[in-house]
Amino acid sequence: MRYWFFLTIAVLCAVSTKAQESLANQYIAPWLGHWKGELVWQKSADSVQTVEMHLIIAPLDSAGHYSWNLVYGAEQKDNRGYSLKPVDIEKGHWIVDENNGIVIDQYLIGNSFTSAFEVMGSTIVDVFELKDDTMQVRFFSYSSQPSRVSGLGTEDIPTVNSYRMQSVQNVTLRKL
């Protein structure tokens, strides 16, 4: 009797895992591939840098886990081998695991993967958006401390925090 109970549990777990993997594959399929473009990093009106950027998204050994490999520079020396893992696929919740203790929540909303996180006094918002046969990527970086607080703090006129934008990065990626 115990044997059948444990066998049934094992089969149900395997079926559930396979269903999750299939669902993950369905959502991620349009994103898979090796993407490349020229990133434009603008810190001010007269401060512009460009750098080659790659994004490689491919299945990993673990069920429903994918590479989220960002590579910068023509020499590809800045290679960030992250992992993309589902948390709640139906709600669009994923994580980017930097494989060093840092985990960033990523959300698939429509055709966009997006996240917002704070690091070393800066908040970064990123948007990876599929458009036709390209991926439009934007990174916004701003100070985590407000540069201005305005408003009255009332229900009619709430307090509003404004932030100093530090930089914007744009790139159009194409599949290789």
Side-chain angles (χ1 to χ4, degrees):
M1 182 69 157
R2 274 188 168 174
Y3 170 77
W4 290 108
F5 174 75
F6 288 115
L7 180 62
T8 302
I9 295 297
V11 168
L12 288 175
C13 286
V15 168
S16 175
T17 300
K18 198 65 173 166
Q20 284 285 63
E21 179 183 350
S22 176
L23 192 55
N25 288 338
Q26 173 187 335
Y27 281 97
I28 203 72
W31 297 84
L32 295 176
H34 184 155
W35 301 80
K36 178 184 175 187
E38 195 72 20
L39 177 78
V40 178
W41 184 5
Q42 192 148 14
K43 293 183 181 181
S44 67
D46 58 349
S47 173
V48 179
Q49 293 177 297
T50 60
V51 65
E52 185 175 288
M53 177 182 162
H54 298 255
L55 173 60
I56 302 147
I57 306 170
L60 294 174
D61 294 337
S62 300
H65 295 180
Y66 302 86
S67 67
W68 187 266
N69 193 16
L70 291 167
V71 182
Y72 296 98
E75 299 82 31
Q76 301 185 12
K77 290 181 182 176
D78 187 357
N79 190 332
R80 303 174 188 189
Y82 305 150
S83 302
L84 179 67
K85 301 174 183 177
V87 175
D88 187 337
I89 298 167
E90 291 177 345
K91 291 183 179 176
H93 187 188
W94 296 70
I95 59 169
V96 172
D97 186 344
E98 294 190 5
N99 301 310
N100 63 2
I102 296 172
V103 176
I104 297 172
D105 291 285
Q106 191 89 0
Y107 295 90
L108 180 58
I109 301 171
N111 289 336
S112 297
F113 262 118
T114 187
S115 70
F117 57 94
E118 182 181 335
V119 59
M120 299 173 62
S122 293
T123 299
I124 299 171
V125 176
D126 62 47
V127 180
F128 295 77
E129 182 180 13
L130 289 181
K131 284 188 171 186
D132 301 320
D133 61 343
T134 66
M135 186 186 309
Q136 304 295 316
V137 181
R138 296 187 87 182
F139 298 93
F140 301 93
S141 175
Y142 57 92
S143 173
S144 297
Q145 298 299 315
S147 58
R148 178 184 313 275
V149 178
S150 61
L152 300 177
T154 66
E155 190 174 314
D156 291 335
I157 304 172
T159 300
V160 175
N161 296 330
S162 297
Y163 299 89
R164 183 179 75 78
M165 294 302 297
Q166 296 168 327
S167 70
V168 176
Q169 299 174 35
N170 290 297
V171 61
T172 298
L173 300 174
R174 291 177 174 34
K175 271 190 186 180
L176 295 181

